[in-house]
Every structure is written in C-alpha cells, then in structure tokens.
Amino acid sequence: MRLADFIHANTERILEDAVEFAITQAPPGVHFDVKTLRNDIPLILRAIVLDLRTAQSPAQQRAKAEGRAPAAPGQESAATSHGRSRADDGFGVNQMIAEYRALRASVLRLWAADQALVADSIEDMIRFNEAIDQAVAESLLEFSRTVESWRHVFLGALGHDLRGPLGAVVGTADMLVDSTKGTPHARQAERILSGGLQLGRLVDGLLDYSKSTLGGGMHLQRATCDLGEAIAEEIDLLRVSFPEASMSLRVEGDTCGDFDDARVREAVHNLVTNAAKYGDVHGGIGVSVAGAGERVRIAVVNAGESLSGDALNALFDPLRRGSRAANKGEHSSLGLGLFIVREIANAHGGDVTAGSGDGSTTFVITLPRDGRRGEVPQHR
C-alpha cells in the first residue's frame, strides 16, 4: 500500500498514536491538552495526502527541499492555522515542533509495522518528510508572527499603563522645582523633573513603536507652519539639554508647508540627541533646514567615527543599537529614536536617509510640503 493511501485509511489510528506519543515526549512539567492537540492534525494529514498524490517535477522537489516552495493559493494552510493557535494558546516553539516529531514518527512506525516495503516506499518516505518539513516551516512562520504581534501588544499596554504614574511623578516634580527654588534642594528637584520628562519621551516612543508595528501607523496633526521657526525653537531647548555640545542652525528658502510641526521637532530632537550621545560632541552638530520647490529638507550632521554600510542599514531598525552605543553602555536602551524618525518621515509622505564618511555622519529628512502629493523619491 502506498503511503498516501495508508494515511487516508488510518487517519484516526495515526491521530491516536501521535497524541499518545506527543504526551510522552512532553518536557517535564508540561502537559499537552489532548483536545487542543487533535484540532489541526487531521487537516494537516489531509494536506500531506494531497501533496503525496500530486505529481512533482525534479525542479519542484529541489525547491521544496531548499525551502523555496511557493505558497499554496487560496485559504491559509492547516499548518499556518496550527502555528497561530499554538502561539495563542501559550505553547513554546519546542512544544509545537514536538507535535510534528510525534506525527512523523507515528506515521512511519505504523506504516512500517503494517505493510511490507514496496518498490516506491523510499520515494514515498522522501515525499512524506518533505511535506512534514513544509508544514513545520508554515507553522513556524505564523507562530513567530503571532508571538511578535503579542509582544508589540504587550509593549503598547506597558507604555499606556506607565503614563498614569509617570504623569503623577512629573507633576509632583514640577511642584517641587517651584517650591525649592533658591534652596539647597533645588538642583535635586530639577534632576527629578528632568528624569521624569525623559521617561515620558521614552514612553511616547514606545507607544509610537508598538502602534506602528501593529499596523496602526503614526497619527499626524497637520497644519500650515514654518519648520524653520519650529526647529529653531527645538534647537534652543536642545542647547540647554546638551550644554557641552556646539550646535549650529542654518535656515534657507521657504520652509513653510502642511506639516505636523510637533512630530518634526520630535524627529530633530531624536537625531540631535543621537548625535550628542554617540558622536564627537566637541566636533559640533550642524542642523540645516532648506526649502526648495515642493519639498523641505532637514539635515543633521555630526562629527565622529564613520559607520560601515551594514551599520547604516541597521540604524533605523527598532530595538537595536550600533557598536558605539554598546561601547557607551547603552545595552538596556530600547533603541527606538531613529525608528521613530523614520516613521515620522514616512507618515508625512517623505523619507529619511543616512550617510557616513570622512569622519562625519549625516541624516537627511526630506518632506513634501503637502503630504497628499505622494512619497518623495529616495536619495542615493
């Protein structure tokens, strides 16, 4: 009997054996839910039978063996659904893979015990293992996506819950600053307020990150404004925050347009803060705002060690830091600043690029005056 026919005729027997085997393979302290375990296995077996009965060319077999098999059209596969349900149920990835190990072992053991090997048995085994591996790959992909989605939900909920107590801390610190002016405790109160405001910016960044990664995008409040004036105000505040850094600002041309100036200021704040922390603070930080045609261009340049191409490509990835950050003990930082810059630029219909060489690093944000005109061409 060919393997596809055996699986079709013995699905319930295979299912019972797979469940029993999976339970025995469970890690210490982990107990499989038998009802949950039985949900998707019949559908996965049906897909495997269909695969075994479908003609396959050598090229298709090679593509499948190398993980390049095209996705099947139509509804999602049973393996994809299985991966998502296991993630939703709180399964670990090792527990999910154990199910497939159990299924593979059950089918081959029962088939070998029930039937004498026939001429096509080796081919059937190869095709069966390919089908199982394909199901594992589909389950893992959806499992990872679901776990990542829940992680973003958790980060968003954490940021939201932190806002309340943090607001109380900042409000109380602000009162302390006013009531301790001219006393020996004034400096300590100012430090508490400064720390609370910094935490507030981190929480806002966390909320922006979780919302963007969950597909909500970044909300803008557009209004006609002058970015030159808005950024000048932000630079004045940054000079207070980083008194040791030399900052210059140059504004050229018409810098008015339909922007969310608060968000653009946030982007400039993140870029300048990044330059002050990780660049050569004594080399100066240059900010320029230039309007030309239908676009406004904002550039932040700082002196410092040049970055490699790989480092530049990874700069805007969330939750990552470059080597210079690691050298400065920033291991615990979420690394959301540059990611938020990119999201702000994209929300405006613009873009942000980075370049490094000759001892300096430059970030350029290009924004259309009217975001409804579409995206700005990428700068090379």
Side-chain angles (χ1 to χ4, degrees), residues 288-342:
S288 63
V289 187
E294 296 301 321
R295 304 183 183 95
V296 175
R297 179 179 181 272
I298 305 164
V300 177
V301 184
N302 68 275
E305 177 186 350
S306 298
L307 300 176
S308 66
D310 290 341
L312 285 173
N313 290 335
L315 278 177
F316 297 99
D317 290 346
L319 310 182
R320 293 183 62 177
R321 285 291 192 187
S323 58
R324 283 184 289 178
N327 293 336
K328 296 195 178 197
E330 296 282 342
H331 298 288
S332 62
S333 175
L334 287 176
L336 296 176
L338 295 181
F339 171 80
I340 297 301
V341 171
R342 185 182 67 185

Side-chain angles (χ1 to χ4, degrees), residues 147-322:
V147 170
E148 188 68 12
S149 176
W150 279 115
R151 181 178 293 115
H152 296 321
V153 169
F154 167 75
L155 289 175
L158 176 64
H160 184 271
D161 290 345
L162 284 174
R163 269 186 163 173
L166 186 56
V169 170
V170 171
T172 304
D174 194 30
M175 293 176 58
L176 286 174
V177 169
D178 290 337
S179 62
T180 58
K181 286 181 179 179
T183 72
H185 303 294
R187 182 56 180 162
Q188 287 88 336
E190 291 173 356
R191 287 178 178 174
I192 295 173
L193 178 59
S194 177
L197 293 174
Q198 176 64 16
L199 284 173
R201 286 191 289 268
L202 290 173
V203 169
D204 289 341
L206 186 63
L207 290 171
D208 287 337
Y209 166 67
S210 61
K211 183 178 180 180
S212 297
T213 50
L214 286 170
M218 179 168 286
H219 178 67
L220 297 181
Q221 295 182 344
R222 294 179 180 273
T224 300
C225 60
D226 187 340
L227 286 187
E229 294 180 358
I231 293 174
E233 294 177 3
E234 188 63 33
I235 295 300
D236 287 340
L237 295 176
L238 286 163
R239 287 190 177 113
V240 176
S241 300
F242 299 99
E244 72 283 2
S246 174
M247 299 182 194
S248 63
L249 173 64
R250 185 177 75 255
V251 179
E252 298 176 339
D254 180 8
T255 57
C256 294
D258 183 25
F259 307 107
D260 184 333
D261 59 343
R263 285 295 194 184
V264 176
R265 286 180 60 164
E266 180 182 358
V268 172
H269 177 97
N270 289 348
L271 290 176
V272 173
T273 298
N274 188 75
K277 285 185 176 181
Y278 309 127
D280 180 2
V281 70
H282 301 295
I285 301 171
V287 181
S288 63
V289 187
E294 296 301 321
R295 304 183 183 95
V296 175
R297 179 179 181 272
I298 305 164
V300 177
V301 184
N302 68 275
E305 177 186 350
S306 298
L307 300 176
S308 66
D310 290 341
L312 285 173
N313 290 335
L315 278 177
F316 297 99
D317 290 346
L319 310 182
R320 293 183 62 177
R321 285 291 192 187

Side-chain angles (χ1 to χ4, degrees), residues 29-256:
V30 175
H31 301 284
F32 283 115
D33 182 340
V34 174
K35 183 178 180 180
T36 301
L37 197 62
R38 296 173 60 100
N39 285 347
D40 298 319
I41 292 179
L43 296 177
I44 294 172
L45 286 173
R46 188 182 306 168
I48 290 174
V49 168
L50 178 62
D51 183 271
L52 290 172
R53 289 174 172 170
T54 302
Q56 177 176 267
S57 68
Q60 290 172 323
Q61 184 177 26
R62 182 179 180 86
K64 187 187 294 183
E66 295 176 352
R68 297 183 290 105
Q75 295 181 344
E76 68 176 10
S77 68
T80 298
S81 173
H82 185 69
R84 182 174 59 255
S85 66
R86 290 303 179 259
D88 287 337
D89 292 339
F91 276 49
V93 65
N94 291 333
Q95 294 171 259
M96 186 187 71
I97 296 299
E99 294 183 73
Y100 283 105
R101 293 204 316 267
L103 183 62
R104 189 197 306 264
S106 173
V107 170
L108 294 179
R109 185 172 59 255
L110 291 174
W111 185 46
D114 190 75
Q115 299 289 329
L117 294 181
V118 296
D120 296 315
S121 295
I122 299 300
E123 180 185 352
D124 284 354
M125 286 184 185
I126 293 173
R127 290 288 303 272
F128 174 70
N129 282 314
E130 290 171 349
I132 285 287
D133 290 340
Q134 179 67 25
V136 170
E138 292 173 5
S139 289
L140 274 176
L141 179 62
E142 190 63 25
F143 183 93
S144 299
R145 287 175 177 169
T146 304
V147 170
E148 188 68 12
S149 176
W150 279 115
R151 181 178 293 115
H152 296 321
V153 169
F154 167 75
L155 289 175
L158 176 64
H160 184 271
D161 290 345
L162 284 174
R163 269 186 163 173
L166 186 56
V169 170
V170 171
T172 304
D174 194 30
M175 293 176 58
L176 286 174
V177 169
D178 290 337
S179 62
T180 58
K181 286 181 179 179
T183 72
H185 303 294
R187 182 56 180 162
Q188 287 88 336
E190 291 173 356
R191 287 178 178 174
I192 295 173
L193 178 59
S194 177
L197 293 174
Q198 176 64 16
L199 284 173
R201 286 191 289 268
L202 290 173
V203 169
D204 289 341
L206 186 63
L207 290 171
D208 287 337
Y209 166 67
S210 61
K211 183 178 180 180
S212 297
T213 50
L214 286 170
M218 179 168 286
H219 178 67
L220 297 181
Q221 295 182 344
R222 294 179 180 273
T224 300
C225 60
D226 187 340
L227 286 187
E229 294 180 358
I231 293 174
E233 294 177 3
E234 188 63 33
I235 295 300
D236 287 340
L237 295 176
L238 286 163
R239 287 190 177 113
V240 176
S241 300
F242 299 99
E244 72 283 2
S246 174
M247 299 182 194
S248 63
L249 173 64
R250 185 177 75 255
V251 179
E252 298 176 339
D254 180 8
T255 57
C256 294

